[in-house]
C-alpha cells in the first residue's frame, strides 16, 4: 500500500520520548499525530491509515493510542457519524 506522505515535521517532546509506560511505536505515532495536526489543528487519520503507514495491525494502533491517552499526551474523540 503506497502512502501519501506529507512534508510536515513531527515533534516528540521529552516527556513522550522518555516515558517508560508507552511503547516506542506509540512515541513514533505521537510524532505522526502532531505532524498531521499541523494541517488542521487536529488529527483526522483513522487507525487503518496508521496501521498501513507503520505496517502493524489496527489493534496495535488502538493500543498505542490508548496508552498515549492514558498518559495524558493526547485526547481522543470518536466521530461516530464517520463510522456509519
Amino acid at each position: 500500500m503506497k502512502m501519501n506522505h506529507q512534508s510536515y515535521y513531527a515533534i516528540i517532546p521529552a516527556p513522550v520520548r522518555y516515558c517508560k509506560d508507552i511503547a516506542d511505536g506509540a512515541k513514533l505515532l505521537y510524532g505522526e499525530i502532531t505532524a498531521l495536526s499541523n494541517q488542521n489543528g487536529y488529527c483526522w487519520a483513522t487507525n487503518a491509515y496508521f496501521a498501513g503507514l507503520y505496517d502493524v495491525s489496527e489493534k496495535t494502533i488502538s493500543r498505542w493510542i490508548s496508552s498515549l491517552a492514558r498518559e495524558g499526551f493526547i485526547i481522543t474523540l470518536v466521530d461516530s457519524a464517520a463510522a456509519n
Side-chain angles (χ1 to χ4, degrees):
M1 171 188 249
K2 182 162 170 75
M3 306 305 295
N4 180 16
H5 298 285
Q6 298 292 333
S7 61
Y8 300 110
Y9 59 89
I11 297 174
I12 306 174
V16 176
R17 288 193 318 266
Y18 303 124
C19 182
K20 296 188 183 305
D21 296 324
I22 59 175
D24 290 343
K27 296 170 187 181
L28 185 59
L29 178 61
Y30 179 90
E32 192 69 34
I33 290 169
T34 64
L36 293 173
S37 295
N38 284 333
Q39 185 175 18
N40 297 321
Y42 60 91
C43 178
W44 44 264
T46 64
N47 288 7
Y49 171 83
F50 289 129
L53 186 65
Y54 292 114
D55 198 26
V56 297
S57 70
E58 288 183 48
K59 187 173 182 175
T60 296
I61 296 297
S62 182
R63 278 195 312 269
W64 290 350
I65 290 172
S66 293
S67 68
L68 289 167
R70 182 181 60 247
E71 295 300 317
F73 297 131
I74 63 171
I75 296 172
T76 60
L77 300 172
V78 177
D79 183 356
S80 58
N84 293 327

